[in-house]
Amino acid sequence: MNLKCLETDEMLEMLKNKELDIVFSKKVNKFKNENVKYLPLGFLNDIFIASKDSKFANKILTKKELENETIYVPRTYAQTVTRLINLTNNKNLNLKNSSYNTILELSSKTDSIGLITKEYIESDKLEKYNLVELKTKFELKPIEFGIYFNTDRKKEVNYLIKIIKDKFKC
């Protein structure tokens, strides 16, 4: 089994061309192909984080308060980042791309904000890094995630999809 971590659009193109067998991803609305199907598995939640000692820790953040603050975010093309830019109309956001571990590290040691998908980190990491989930006056709605697969696929992939369906009760 080969695992790849690429931009979702690139992976879906590879799936369409049968270069990949399956793609786990947050749902994208813009991709359409009659041979590629999507199976929803659940929802993920993007959250803002900061140090418990941060000036943001006990506040309820507004979109305006995010302006000009350093916000550590995942890859530029990550849906988490795209959603934030759309939600705030890209108003003076000072976004810095970082890995998840770096986002946790920097958010815990500086007076900055991190933006992560909550389910991508282990439950004890916020506590370990002395971080809190920030409250906001606006909603970062949950985003659906699932698997994309080519309907013209190998028997082994069919079996894997069956296991996933049974596990997630789809």
Side-chain angles (χ1 to χ4, degrees), residues 80-91:
T80 299
V81 177
T82 304
R83 292 175 67 209
L84 174 62
I85 289 169
N86 291 338
L87 182 69
T88 60
N89 298 319
N90 201 17
K91 298 250 187 200

Side-chain angles (χ1 to χ4, degrees), residues 74-155:
R75 303 171 310 276
T76 306
Y77 57 81
Q79 287 189 47
T80 299
V81 177
T82 304
R83 292 175 67 209
L84 174 62
I85 289 169
N86 291 338
L87 182 69
T88 60
N89 298 319
N90 201 17
K91 298 250 187 200
N92 301 318
L93 296 179
N94 183 14
L95 305 180
K96 305 282 185 199
N97 299 107
S98 303
S99 69
Y100 266 73
N101 283 334
T102 304
I103 292 171
L104 296 173
E105 209 47 59
L106 290 170
S107 298
S108 71
K109 293 185 173 152
T110 63
D111 208 17
S112 60
I113 299 170
L115 177 63
I116 59 170
T117 301
K118 188 175 189 174
E119 292 80 6
Y120 287 3
I121 60 167
E122 297 157 18
S123 57
D124 65 336
K125 288 274 181 149
L126 291 182
E127 182 82 24
K128 177 183 171 190
Y129 282 95
N130 197 36
L131 295 165
V132 292
E133 180 178 340
L134 299 177
K135 293 178 176 37
T136 61
K137 286 192 177 181
F138 53 92
E139 185 179 11
L140 288 170
K141 294 180 182 170
I143 185 167
E144 188 175 43
F145 80 97
I147 56 173
Y148 288 89
F149 56 90
N150 195 308
T151 55
D152 183 22
R153 59 192 185 272
K154 302 174 195 142
K155 180 172 75 172

Side-chain angles (χ1 to χ4, degrees), residues 41-104:
L41 298 177
F43 289 87
L44 298 171
N45 299 281
D46 292 332
I47 61 170
F48 290 104
I49 58 172
S51 166
K52 288 179 180 174
D53 302 323
S54 165
K55 65 184 178 188
F56 307 110
N58 296 314
K59 292 178 86 173
I60 299 175
L61 288 177
T62 65
K63 291 178 191 178
K64 182 77 176 154
E65 288 171 313
L66 289 178
E67 290 181 23
N68 301 312
E69 293 295 340
T70 299
I71 305 172
Y72 292 99
V73 297
R75 303 171 310 276
T76 306
Y77 57 81
Q79 287 189 47
T80 299
V81 177
T82 304
R83 292 175 67 209
L84 174 62
I85 289 169
N86 291 338
L87 182 69
T88 60
N89 298 319
N90 201 17
K91 298 250 187 200
N92 301 318
L93 296 179
N94 183 14
L95 305 180
K96 305 282 185 199
N97 299 107
S98 303
S99 69
Y100 266 73
N101 283 334
T102 304
I103 292 171
L104 296 173

